Amino acid sequence: QVQLAQSGGGLVQPGGSLRLSCAASGSGISINTMAWYRQAPGKQRELVANIDTFGSTDYSNSVKGRFTISRDNAKNTMYLQMTSLKVEDTAVYYCRVISTTGGRWWGQGTQVTVSS
């Protein structure tokens, strides 16, 4: 019964910034890993970044140095701060949560469009 509520998508010009949020809700959830994925039209869904319980992070090479993933464990909320956005960053962004017991859930996705 875990639900993920995403927010923060929208339209931004190249070089701009955007911040995505993903809030997990559900009774007694214990989250292990949280991650951001994205899927551009006609392409496979790809991993963008992930973060574990203790804040250790990993990024895809395409976003390294530009995006920052973070989490607030007390609020069960994850963020993706995106800076220096490029046209190729345009995609639907999805949050992904994995619990300590192996449960896995997807957020509903939010559109990020980078265009001038």
Side-chain angles (χ1 to χ4, degrees):
Q1 282 95 346
V2 172
Q3 296 189 50
L4 307 179
Q6 296 186 224
S7 63
L11 175 65
V12 65
Q13 294 188 72
S17 299
L18 212 56
R19 187 183 189 234
L20 306 182
S21 298
C22 176
S25 62
S27 182
I29 59 172
S30 183
I31 299 173
N32 186 352
T33 300
M34 304 183 82
W36 287 100
Y37 288 76
R38 68 186 181 187
Q39 187 167 22
K43 296 186 177 181
Q44 300 270 28
R45 188 171 300 184
E46 64 175 353
L47 177 65
V48 175
N50 64 71
I51 183 168
D52 69 11
T53 303
F54 305 104
S56 180
T57 60
D58 290 295
Y59 298 91
S60 68
N61 289 331
S62 63
V63 307
K64 193 177 301 180
R66 299 188 297 118
F67 291 9
T68 301
I69 187 172
S70 62
R71 62 190 288 177
D72 184 334
N73 290 337
K75 296 182 177 180
N76 285 145
T77 300
M78 172 179 64
Y79 308 93
L80 185 66
Q81 179 65 52
M82 304 182 291
T83 62
S84 300
L85 282 162
K86 304 175 180 180
V87 172
E88 50 263 45
D89 293 319
T90 296
V92 176
Y93 284 70
Y94 299 89
C95 64
R96 178 71 158 170
V97 168
I98 302 174
S99 75
T100 56
T101 57
R104 305 182 180 196
W105 302 270
W106 288 106
Q108 81 277 14
T110 186
Q111 178 71 47
V112 171
T113 301
V114 184
S115 176
S116 59

Short mmCIF file of all heavy atoms in Angstrom, two decimals, residues 20-48:
data_model
loop_
_atom_site.label_atom_id
_atom_site.label_comp_id
_atom_site.label_asym_id
_atom_site.label_seq_id
_atom_site.Cartn_x
_atom_site.Cartn_y
_atom_site.Cartn_z
N LEU A 20 12.89 18.17 -8.55
CA LEU A 20 11.84 17.17 -8.46
C LEU A 20 11.76 16.62 -7.05
O LEU A 20 12.77 16.50 -6.36
CB LEU A 20 12.09 16.02 -9.43
CG LEU A 20 12.31 16.37 -10.91
CD1 LEU A 20 12.49 15.10 -11.71
CD2 LEU A 20 11.16 17.20 -11.45
N SER A 21 10.55 16.27 -6.63
CA SER A 21 10.33 15.68 -5.32
C SER A 21 9.54 14.39 -5.46
O SER A 21 8.74 14.23 -6.37
CB SER A 21 9.56 16.64 -4.40
OG SER A 21 10.28 17.83 -4.18
N CYS A 22 9.77 13.48 -4.53
CA CYS A 22 9.04 12.21 -4.48
C CYS A 22 8.81 11.86 -3.02
O CYS A 22 9.77 11.60 -2.28
CB CYS A 22 9.83 11.11 -5.18
SG CYS A 22 9.08 9.48 -5.08
N ALA A 23 7.57 11.87 -2.60
CA ALA A 23 7.21 11.58 -1.22
C ALA A 23 6.55 10.21 -1.12
O ALA A 23 5.55 9.96 -1.79
CB ALA A 23 6.29 12.66 -0.68
N ALA A 24 7.10 9.35 -0.29
CA ALA A 24 6.56 8.01 -0.08
C ALA A 24 5.67 8.00 1.15
O ALA A 24 6.01 8.56 2.19
CB ALA A 24 7.69 7.00 0.09
N SER A 25 4.53 7.36 1.02
CA SER A 25 3.61 7.25 2.15
C SER A 25 3.11 5.81 2.29
O SER A 25 2.96 5.10 1.29
CB SER A 25 2.42 8.20 1.99
OG SER A 25 1.66 7.89 0.83
N GLY A 26 2.86 5.41 3.53
CA GLY A 26 2.41 4.06 3.80
C GLY A 26 2.76 3.68 5.22
O GLY A 26 3.81 4.07 5.73
N SER A 27 1.90 2.93 5.85
CA SER A 27 2.10 2.56 7.24
C SER A 27 3.28 1.61 7.42
O SER A 27 3.36 0.57 6.77
CB SER A 27 0.83 1.91 7.79
OG SER A 27 0.98 1.57 9.15
N GLY A 28 4.21 1.99 8.29
CA GLY A 28 5.32 1.14 8.66
C GLY A 28 6.36 0.87 7.59
O GLY A 28 7.11 -0.11 7.70
N ILE A 29 6.44 1.71 6.58
CA ILE A 29 7.42 1.48 5.53
C ILE A 29 8.84 1.74 6.04
O ILE A 29 9.07 2.65 6.84
CB ILE A 29 7.14 2.34 4.28
CG1 ILE A 29 7.15 3.83 4.63
CG2 ILE A 29 5.82 1.92 3.65
CD1 ILE A 29 7.07 4.73 3.41
N SER A 30 9.77 0.93 5.56
CA SER A 30 11.18 1.09 5.87
C SER A 30 11.93 1.06 4.55
O SER A 30 12.06 0.02 3.93
CB SER A 30 11.65 -0.03 6.80
OG SER A 30 13.01 0.14 7.15
N ILE A 31 12.41 2.22 4.14
CA ILE A 31 13.01 2.36 2.82
C ILE A 31 14.50 2.10 2.83
O ILE A 31 15.23 2.60 3.67
CB ILE A 31 12.72 3.76 2.26
CG1 ILE A 31 11.21 3.96 2.14
CG2 ILE A 31 13.40 3.96 0.91
CD1 ILE A 31 10.81 5.37 1.75
N ASN A 32 14.93 1.32 1.85
CA ASN A 32 16.34 1.05 1.66
C ASN A 32 16.90 2.03 0.62
O ASN A 32 17.55 3.01 0.96
CB ASN A 32 16.55 -0.39 1.22
CG ASN A 32 18.02 -0.76 1.14
OD1 ASN A 32 18.91 0.07 1.26
ND2 ASN A 32 18.29 -2.05 0.92
N THR A 33 16.62 1.76 -0.64
CA THR A 33 17.15 2.56 -1.73
C THR A 33 16.06 3.39 -2.40
O THR A 33 14.93 2.94 -2.58
CB THR A 33 17.81 1.65 -2.78
OG1 THR A 33 18.88 0.93 -2.18
CG2 THR A 33 18.37 2.47 -3.94
N MET A 34 16.42 4.60 -2.77
CA MET A 34 15.55 5.46 -3.56
C MET A 34 16.32 5.85 -4.81
O MET A 34 17.54 6.02 -4.78
CB MET A 34 15.14 6.70 -2.78
CG MET A 34 14.47 6.39 -1.44
SD MET A 34 13.90 7.86 -0.55
CE MET A 34 12.33 8.15 -1.38
N ALA A 35 15.60 6.00 -5.91
CA ALA A 35 16.27 6.28 -7.17
C ALA A 35 15.39 7.09 -8.09
O ALA A 35 14.16 7.13 -7.95
CB ALA A 35 16.68 4.97 -7.86
N TRP A 36 16.02 7.75 -9.05
CA TRP A 36 15.33 8.46 -10.12
C TRP A 36 15.66 7.80 -11.45
O TRP A 36 16.83 7.52 -11.73
CB TRP A 36 15.74 9.93 -10.18
CG TRP A 36 15.19 10.76 -9.07
CD1 TRP A 36 15.84 11.16 -7.93
CD2 TRP A 36 13.87 11.30 -8.98
NE1 TRP A 36 15.00 11.91 -7.15
CE2 TRP A 36 13.78 12.02 -7.77
CE3 TRP A 36 12.75 11.26 -9.82
CZ2 TRP A 36 12.61 12.68 -7.37
CZ3 TRP A 36 11.59 11.91 -9.42
CH2 TRP A 36 11.54 12.61 -8.21
N TYR A 37 14.63 7.57 -12.24
CA TYR A 37 14.76 7.07 -13.60
C TYR A 37 14.14 8.09 -14.54
O TYR A 37 13.37 8.95 -14.13
CB TYR A 37 14.03 5.74 -13.77
CG TYR A 37 14.69 4.55 -13.12
CD1 TYR A 37 14.62 4.36 -11.74
CD2 TYR A 37 15.36 3.59 -13.88
CE1 TYR A 37 15.21 3.26 -11.14
CE2 TYR A 37 15.94 2.48 -13.29
CZ TYR A 37 15.86 2.32 -11.92
OH TYR A 37 16.44 1.23 -11.33
N ARG A 38 14.45 7.96 -15.83
CA ARG A 38 13.79 8.80 -16.82
C ARG A 38 13.59 8.01 -18.11
O ARG A 38 14.32 7.06 -18.39
CB ARG A 38 14.58 10.08 -17.10
CG ARG A 38 15.91 9.88 -17.80
CD ARG A 38 16.65 11.20 -17.90
NE ARG A 38 17.93 11.07 -18.60
CZ ARG A 38 18.82 12.05 -18.69
NH1 ARG A 38 18.58 13.24 -18.14
NH2 ARG A 38 19.95 11.84 -19.35
N GLN A 39 12.59 8.41 -18.87
CA GLN A 39 12.29 7.76 -20.12
C GLN A 39 11.91 8.81 -21.16
O GLN A 39 10.90 9.49 -21.01
CB GLN A 39 11.16 6.75 -19.95
CG GLN A 39 10.90 5.90 -21.18
CD GLN A 39 10.02 4.71 -20.88
OE1 GLN A 39 9.27 4.71 -19.90
NE2 GLN A 39 10.10 3.68 -21.71
N ALA A 40 12.72 8.91 -22.19
CA ALA A 40 12.45 9.81 -23.30
C ALA A 40 11.59 9.09 -24.32
O ALA A 40 11.58 7.86 -24.38
CB ALA A 40 13.76 10.28 -23.93
N PRO A 41 10.85 9.83 -25.16
CA PRO A 41 9.99 9.20 -26.16
C PRO A 41 10.75 8.23 -27.05
O PRO A 41 11.80 8.56 -27.59
CB PRO A 41 9.47 10.39 -26.97
CG PRO A 41 9.50 11.53 -26.01
CD PRO A 41 10.75 11.30 -25.18
N GLY A 42 10.22 7.01 -27.19
CA GLY A 42 10.83 6.02 -28.04
C GLY A 42 12.08 5.36 -27.49
O GLY A 42 12.73 4.60 -28.20
N LYS A 43 12.41 5.64 -26.24
CA LYS A 43 13.62 5.08 -25.66
C LYS A 43 13.31 4.27 -24.40
O LYS A 43 12.23 4.37 -23.83
CB LYS A 43 14.62 6.19 -25.32
CG LYS A 43 15.13 6.95 -26.54
CD LYS A 43 16.22 7.93 -26.15
CE LYS A 43 16.78 8.63 -27.37
NZ LYS A 43 17.85 9.59 -27.00
N GLN A 44 14.28 3.45 -24.00
CA GLN A 44 14.15 2.65 -22.79
C GLN A 44 14.26 3.53 -21.55
O GLN A 44 14.93 4.56 -21.56
CB GLN A 44 15.24 1.57 -22.75
CG GLN A 44 15.22 0.59 -23.91
CD GLN A 44 14.37 -0.62 -23.62
OE1 GLN A 44 13.42 -0.56 -22.86
NE2 GLN A 44 14.72 -1.74 -24.25
N ARG A 45 13.60 3.10 -20.49
CA ARG A 45 13.75 3.80 -19.22
C ARG A 45 15.16 3.57 -18.69
O ARG A 45 15.66 2.45 -18.70
CB ARG A 45 12.71 3.28 -18.22
CG ARG A 45 12.66 4.08 -16.92
CD ARG A 45 11.46 3.67 -16.07
NE ARG A 45 10.20 3.89 -16.75
CZ ARG A 45 9.00 3.69 -16.21
NH1 ARG A 45 8.90 3.27 -14.96
NH2 ARG A 45 7.91 3.91 -16.92
N GLU A 46 15.80 4.63 -18.22
CA GLU A 46 17.17 4.54 -17.75
C GLU A 46 17.33 5.09 -16.35
O GLU A 46 16.63 6.02 -15.94
CB GLU A 46 18.12 5.28 -18.70
CG GLU A 46 17.88 6.78 -18.76
CD GLU A 46 18.91 7.51 -19.62
OE1 GLU A 46 19.88 6.89 -20.07
OE2 GLU A 46 18.72 8.73 -19.84
N LEU A 47 18.27 4.52 -15.63
CA LEU A 47 18.58 4.98 -14.28
C LEU A 47 19.35 6.29 -14.36
O LEU A 47 20.33 6.40 -15.09
CB LEU A 47 19.39 3.92 -13.54
CG LEU A 47 19.86 4.28 -12.13
CD1 LEU A 47 18.67 4.45 -11.19
CD2 LEU A 47 20.81 3.21 -11.60
N VAL A 48 18.92 7.27 -13.59
CA VAL A 48 19.57 8.56 -13.53
C VAL A 48 20.48 8.67 -12.31
O VAL A 48 21.63 9.08 -12.41
CB VAL A 48 18.54 9.71 -13.52
CG1 VAL A 48 19.22 11.06 -13.35
CG2 VAL A 48 17.71 9.69 -14.80
#
